[in-house]
Amino acid sequence: MLAAVIFDMDGVLIDSEPFWQRAQIAVFSELGHPHTVEDCESTIGVRIDQLVAHWYRLRPWSGPSQEEVVQRILDRVNALILSEGQAKAGVLEALDLIEARGLKVGLATSSPFAMVEAVLGKLGIRDRFMAVHSAEIERFGKPHPDVYIHAAEKLGVEPVHCLAIEDSFTGLLAAKAASMKALIVPDPALVGDPRLAIANYQLSSLAELNSEMLASWVA
């Protein structure tokens, strides 16, 4: 029986993927390694340090360290969140529906805790989450399941009794590997991707979620 819903953050609560794209394209271009939207889309859902390490292996640079590059990207994304960030359609209503069913609410994200606090504060929803967990402190980020497993532990719920809400294939793999049910609300770059068939449920927007639908999943 469903007892908790665990949200991913980027692309689910806030339309931050464009911010990540803008930040990556700007920073990598400054390093002399032009970065495309397609490059960004190929790493959606990957933890930022792993993302930078991936591109460093493919395009080694002799300038700033990987840690410095990570921080440059994070600083740009944080600034964009604070100036332009908005809740995605249906997020507040979805939280209302979930809470009305008596379900616990958690967050499991690849983004660092500092960014989590910036997003939840900007959206005014920090108090809606009983547990917040970041892959920042895990050995591995998504698609490894630990961020979801430990988010469930913080909620006091077995993973098998959790529903994860994701927008990326990487995150979907993590949720399924954690033995959770998964709802995919795909990033526009993934719409129609046959790999998303492993999700238990799929919506084009959280605004489509209604009480009858949620009740059928809880049962």
Side-chain angles (χ1 to χ4, degrees):
M1 184 175 179
L2 190 63
V5 177
I6 301 179
F7 288 79
D8 174 45
M9 186 177 78
D10 294 294
V12 173
L13 297 180
I14 187 171
D15 190 15
S16 52
E17 294 299 347
F19 300 159
W20 284 103
Q21 289 184 8
R22 287 160 61 182
Q24 289 176 59
I25 289 169
V27 171
F28 285 122
S29 294
E30 290 168 2
L31 294 168
H33 296 286
H35 210 63
T36 67
V37 171
E38 289 73 23
D39 289 333
C40 297
E41 290 175 347
S42 72
T43 55
I44 290 174
V46 176
R47 198 172 67 187
I48 185 61
D49 59 324
Q50 295 177 326
L51 180 154
V52 170
H54 166 75
W55 292 114
Y56 181 84
R57 286 191 296 271
L58 295 179
R59 309 165 181 169
W61 56 76
S62 56
S65 67
Q66 292 184 46
E67 291 76 15
E68 290 177 85
V69 174
V70 167
Q71 194 58 53
R72 287 189 189 185
I73 294 172
L74 289 175
D75 288 345
R76 287 178 184 255
V77 175
N78 265 326
L80 289 167
I81 286 170
L82 293 175
S83 63
E84 302 178 29
Q86 299 181 52
K88 291 202 71 172
V91 166
L92 301 182
E93 294 81 1
L95 286 168
D96 290 341
L97 289 172
I98 291 163
E99 290 170 349
R101 297 294 309 183
L103 302 172
K104 295 182 177 181
V105 180
L107 183 75
T109 178
S110 294
S111 293
F113 281 109
M115 187 168 291
V116 173
E117 294 305 321
V119 168
L120 298 185
K122 175 69 175 180
L123 303 184
I125 56 174
R126 181 62 184 86
D127 61 347
R128 310 289 293 268
F129 293 86
M130 299 175 65
V132 170
H133 194 62
S134 165
E136 176 183 25
I137 59 173
E138 300 290 353
R139 181 178 179 186
F140 302 107
K142 298 173 184 179
H144 197 280
D146 273 357
V147 66
Y148 272 114
I149 292 170
H150 294 144
E153 285 181 357
K154 285 184 175 181
L155 288 172
V157 178
E158 291 295 322
V160 71
H161 298 306
C162 296
L163 171 71
I165 303 181
E166 272 287 349
D167 73 311
S168 73
F169 181 62
T170 300
L172 179 57
L173 285 176
K176 296 297 287 186
S179 299
M180 295 184 180
K181 289 187 176 180
L183 163 63
I184 188 78
V185 184
D187 180 272
L190 294 175
V191 171
D193 191 322
R195 298 176 299 170
L196 303 186
I198 65 172
N200 299 88
Y201 316 105
Q202 184 167 169
L203 298 174
S204 60
S205 166
L206 277 178
E208 296 175 2
L209 184 65
N210 57 52
S211 57
E212 292 76 19
M213 191 181 299
L214 188 59
S216 70
W217 298 348
V218 171

